[in-house]
Amino acid sequence: ILRRAIEAMPEQPFDYIVIDTPPNLNVVSVNILAACSGFILPIALDVFAFLGIKLLENTLAELRVNLRIPIPLIGVLATLHDNTIESRERLQQVRAYYGDLVFPTVIPVNVKVKEANDQHVLYDYAPKSSGAIAYTRFVEEVIARVER
């Protein structure tokens, strides 16, 4: 449904559409995956980092077969890096598993990001915060990867 709605637009006044979905696979998330030309997989570097990945991979494989669409993985974004030994080890595991698909930029834990999520746009609220700087670098990396 979403794919048809996007394709039916008379003019596409944008280069990219970014849709942030909840971390669970429900009908809405599946509809969005079916409509996308590629997706980015964020992985929080916490104790639950790898729990849902196998489920997601199985679901994507089924969607690719059943819907006959590729749904390519553009890349993997490591988030909630807190510079602890555990976080660094999880980042190494993510990089070992996904290789070059992992974006170089890692999003740190940052209180300004959490505060901005409640009621502000991060770039208005704390444009010089480590979170805002990391997200800016990440967007630049995404654009470079998609356009090559």
Side-chain angles (χ1 to χ4, degrees), residues 60-69:
L60 286 170
E62 287 179 32
L63 286 173
R64 288 173 176 132
V65 169
N66 294 334
L67 300 177
R68 295 184 185 94
I69 53 177

Side-chain angles (χ1 to χ4, degrees), residues 7-134:
E7 290 171 350
M9 297 175 85
E11 283 192 39
Q12 312 249 327
F14 39 76
D15 294 321
Y16 305 99
I17 299 173
V18 176
I19 303 172
D20 187 12
T21 65
N24 56 2
L25 287 168
N26 56 31
V27 173
V28 173
S29 299
V30 170
N31 193 18
I32 290 168
L33 283 169
C36 72
S37 58
F39 75 101
I40 295 166
L41 175 61
I43 298 180
L45 300 175
D46 61 16
V47 71
F48 304 109
F50 288 100
L51 277 181
I53 290 177
K54 203 62 183 162
L55 174 64
L56 175 67
E57 288 176 344
N58 291 340
T59 301
L60 286 170
E62 287 179 32
L63 286 173
R64 288 173 176 132
V65 169
N66 294 334
L67 300 177
R68 295 184 185 94
I69 53 177
I71 316 176
L73 176 59
I74 294 168
V76 175
L77 175 63
T79 66
L80 299 179
H81 188 280
D82 61 8
N83 213 24
T84 61
I85 292 170
E86 293 83 7
S87 187
R88 288 191 297 270
E89 287 174 354
R90 287 187 197 101
L91 179 58
Q92 284 181 327
Q93 292 170 338
V94 168
R95 286 186 170 142
Y97 188 80
Y98 284 104
D100 291 339
L101 285 171
V102 180
F103 288 99
T105 294
V106 175
I107 307 299
V109 170
N110 182 252
V111 70
K112 296 297 183 187
V113 173
K114 290 180 183 179
E115 291 171 355
N117 278 338
D118 290 337
Q119 54 196 322
H120 306 283
V121 173
L122 177 61
Y123 296 101
D124 293 336
Y125 180 70
K128 297 191 186 308
S129 67
S130 62
I133 291 166

